[in-house]
Amino acid sequence: MKKFAAVALLSLGVVLAGCSKQEVAESAPAAEPAPAAAAPAAVTKIVVGLDDNFPPMGFRDDKNELVGFDIDMAREAAQRLGLEVSFKPIDWSAKEAELSGKRVDVLWNGLTITEERKQNIAFTAPYMENHQIIVVAADSGIKTKADLADKVVGAQEGSSAVDAAKKDEAVFKSFKEFKTFGDNVTALMDLSAGRLQAVVVDEVVGRYYVAKKPDQYSVLDEHFGTEDYGVGLRKDDGELLAKLDKVLGDMKQDGAAAKISEQWFGKNIVK
């Protein structure tokens, strides 16, 4: 009788225990679904990094306002994209750090497309062709690159002019000295002062200054190569890059880019 009672009590305990677990399971609240990942904030503004001493692409006028061909191109493109645009002068030799540090969103200021820069910068399609010309004093007697032997030659630090000059190894090694400057204006001032005998500079910039002082400067027929300008973005900004490429293509097709070019260069030199 005692054995039968023990077995009955044990069975009852198992049944009660099972009921208890089931009730707990049924009363537990359903797990809430994981929150959806927040969508990235929509881009409403772009900050253009530039050298504000790079006429006629980007510089300050008599009223200290930023003007230039690339300024007008960027404003037109931003308007078509429905974006606000602002311009931030930067140390051009640190342009890649400014871009990767997200202190600017694009580099739009006569930026030459090079294989080395492509490693860290995403470029739009080229919009202009440029040459690295050689500016000398009009009375210097320098006529060719060979005449630059034993001469002091200058260029803007961090510019493609430096790379272009170094690429012509034989001529570069013939220089007495190669000096770099914070901007082209300072280099040209040293040329005028006789501290340099030649300046290697982007054609659009060099010819702008030569046209202002044709009695002081002249441009050699030879140059240090042909290159293309493009707009530079961060490599992970693929969406903005695609939109800019489309807008620039539209501006070429409908004549807006040509109109801006004619305002600054007297003719359409957009590629």
Side-chain angles (χ1 to χ4, degrees), residues 7 10 14 24 26 34 40 50-51 76 84 87 96-97 136 144 157 164 173 183 193 209 220 228 246 260 265:
V7 171
L10 180 61
V14 169
V24 170
E26 287 177 349
L50 77 157
D51 169 6
E76 176 68 21
E84 182 184 349
F87 298 91
E96 292 188 22
V136 299
T144 67
E157 184 178 3
K173 286 184 175 178
D183 57 64
Y209 281 109
L220 303 190
D228 289 323
K246 182 180 185 309
I260 294 171
F265 302 106

Side-chain angles (χ1 to χ4, degrees), residues 186-202:
T186 308
L188 288 166
M189 288 174 64
D190 266 32
L191 178 64
S192 295
R195 291 187 287 269
L196 293 178
Q197 282 73 59
V199 173
V200 184
V201 60
D202 290 55

Side-chain angles (χ1 to χ4, degrees), residues 1-12:
M1 183 67 180
K2 289 181 179 179
K3 183 177 180 181
F4 174 76
V7 171
L9 288 171
L10 180 61
S11 299
L12 179 60

Side-chain angles (χ1 to χ4, degrees), residues 231-242:
V231 183
L233 297 90
R234 284 181 289 275
K235 287 222 164 188
D236 58 358
D237 274 353
E239 183 177 353
L240 180 58
L241 175 63

